[in-house]
Amino acid sequence: DSTLHEIYITTMRDGRDQEGLFGADRVDTLLYGRATVAVPSVHEIGVIERPRSGQPDPAVHFALKQIDQFTDGLPQFQREIASEAPGERVLFVHGYNMTVSDAILQATQIKHDFQMEIPMSIFDWPSAGDVRAYVYDRDSVLYSRPELVKTIKDLAAASREPIMLLGHSMGGLLTMEALRQIALQGDRRTLQRIAAVILLAPDREPDVFRRQIEALGDDVPQPFVIF
């Protein structure tokens, strides 16, 4: 009785973590893939049901059924995105203290709970996945800015459909830094492809946010929502 969702992955991680997925090591190249996640019929809105230990039971837990790395890299990612049904392309930028599996499950929960039929991708910047590593994660956000800019542009090039950006926690800071960089490059064409920006519990200082938003001038995507 599970519902299956596919989540596209753009990641800056290399190596392998304890679950056999992309690890926490920073790399300066992008890797691409796709995950399939099962959401149980007993799922409650707003919750990611996970086991306290051991393997998930698909009857009651979110279960990462499969993860594949695209051997053809970016071209394959763009072909897959282009083949999806018409509608906005969502790019989710996760927050602090997240492994790649955490990010995949959180994106799946959002997609499922809001009944999104449109394709969901995640930009998986290299968080340490450790609550004690806030400074490391903050530096990883700065390290990842050029690759998020590239990912937004690659997503725009893959399809004529509009783009929605979802930035959670520290991912909201990274989302705004990427938009600011695109604006400073004078790339209005890409900015105009962004149909909405939604920042979820953004981790940022208000004065920094004002400087970021000022750089966008008249090209602030609308709607622009902060939860």
Side-chain angles (χ1 to χ4, degrees), residues 141-161:
V141 161
L142 301 178
Y143 180 82
S144 304
R145 284 179 298 188
E147 280 69 28
L148 179 54
V149 169
K150 181 181 186 305
T151 297
I152 293 171
K153 293 183 177 184
D154 289 341
L155 198 58
S159 166
R160 294 180 179 271
E161 303 294 338

Side-chain angles (χ1 to χ4, degrees), residues 40 50 54 61 83 86 97 106 117 144 149 161-162 192 198 204:
R50 303 186 75 169
H61 300 134
S83 68
N97 183 27
Q106 189 172 52
E117 300 297 330
S144 304
V149 169
E161 303 294 338
Q192 291 168 357
I198 301 175
R204 69 158 46 84

Side-chain angles (χ1 to χ4, degrees), residues 34-89:
R34 180 181 54 233
T36 303
V37 183
V39 178
S41 60
V42 297
H43 165 68
E44 296 182 17
I45 290 177
V47 179
I48 300 176
E49 290 87 358
R50 303 186 75 169
R52 293 185 177 180
S53 62
Q55 295 297 315
D57 177 357
V60 293
H61 300 134
F62 277 59
L64 183 57
K65 304 289 287 183
Q66 184 173 337
I67 185 167
D68 299 303
Q69 183 172 334
F70 290 160
T71 55
D72 199 18
L74 175 60
Q76 185 175 353
F77 172 78
Q78 290 181 310
R79 287 196 302 270
E80 296 273 351
I81 291 293
S83 68
E84 291 278 356
E88 289 178 327
R89 276 39 180 161

Side-chain angles (χ1 to χ4, degrees), residues 62-227:
F62 277 59
L64 183 57
K65 304 289 287 183
Q66 184 173 337
I67 185 167
D68 299 303
Q69 183 172 334
F70 290 160
T71 55
D72 199 18
L74 175 60
Q76 185 175 353
F77 172 78
Q78 290 181 310
R79 287 196 302 270
E80 296 273 351
I81 291 293
S83 68
E84 291 278 356
E88 289 178 327
R89 276 39 180 161
V90 181
L91 181 61
F92 177 64
V93 186
H94 67 75
Y96 152 69
N97 183 27
M98 299 285 279
T99 65
V100 63
S101 57
D102 291 335
I104 291 168
L105 296 187
Q106 189 172 52
T108 301
Q109 181 251 318
I110 292 171
K111 189 176 192 292
H112 184 88
D113 287 356
F114 284 94
Q115 299 178 10
M116 292 180 172
E117 300 297 330
I118 49 183
M120 170 82 80
S121 303
I122 62 170
F123 179 78
D124 179 45
W125 56 273
S127 165
D130 188 331
V131 71
R132 300 163 297 180
Y134 185 88
V135 174
Y136 179 91
D137 277 13
R138 187 80 176 221
D139 288 345
S140 288
V141 161
L142 301 178
Y143 180 82
S144 304
R145 284 179 298 188
E147 280 69 28
L148 179 54
V149 169
K150 181 181 186 305
T151 297
I152 293 171
K153 293 183 177 184
D154 289 341
L155 198 58
S159 166
R160 294 180 179 271
E161 303 294 338
I163 298 168
M164 177 192 297
L165 300 179
L166 301 180
H168 174 240
S169 177
M170 200 177 283
L173 173 63
L174 178 53
T175 298
M176 289 304 302
E177 282 293 291
L179 291 175
R180 180 177 181 272
Q181 189 164 325
I182 293 171
L184 293 177
Q185 292 172 353
D187 187 357
R188 299 190 65 191
R189 184 174 182 178
T190 297
L191 289 175
Q192 291 168 357
R193 290 290 308 282
I194 300 171
V197 175
I198 301 175
L199 305 181
L200 310 169
D203 180 0
R204 69 158 46 84
E205 204 273 336
D207 288 338
V208 174
F209 174 73
R210 292 188 188 98
R211 294 298 296 271
Q212 292 169 327
I213 205 77
E214 286 170 1
L216 299 180
D218 295 331
D219 293 317
V220 176
Q222 295 296 333
F224 189 105
V225 182
I226 301 176
F227 287 99

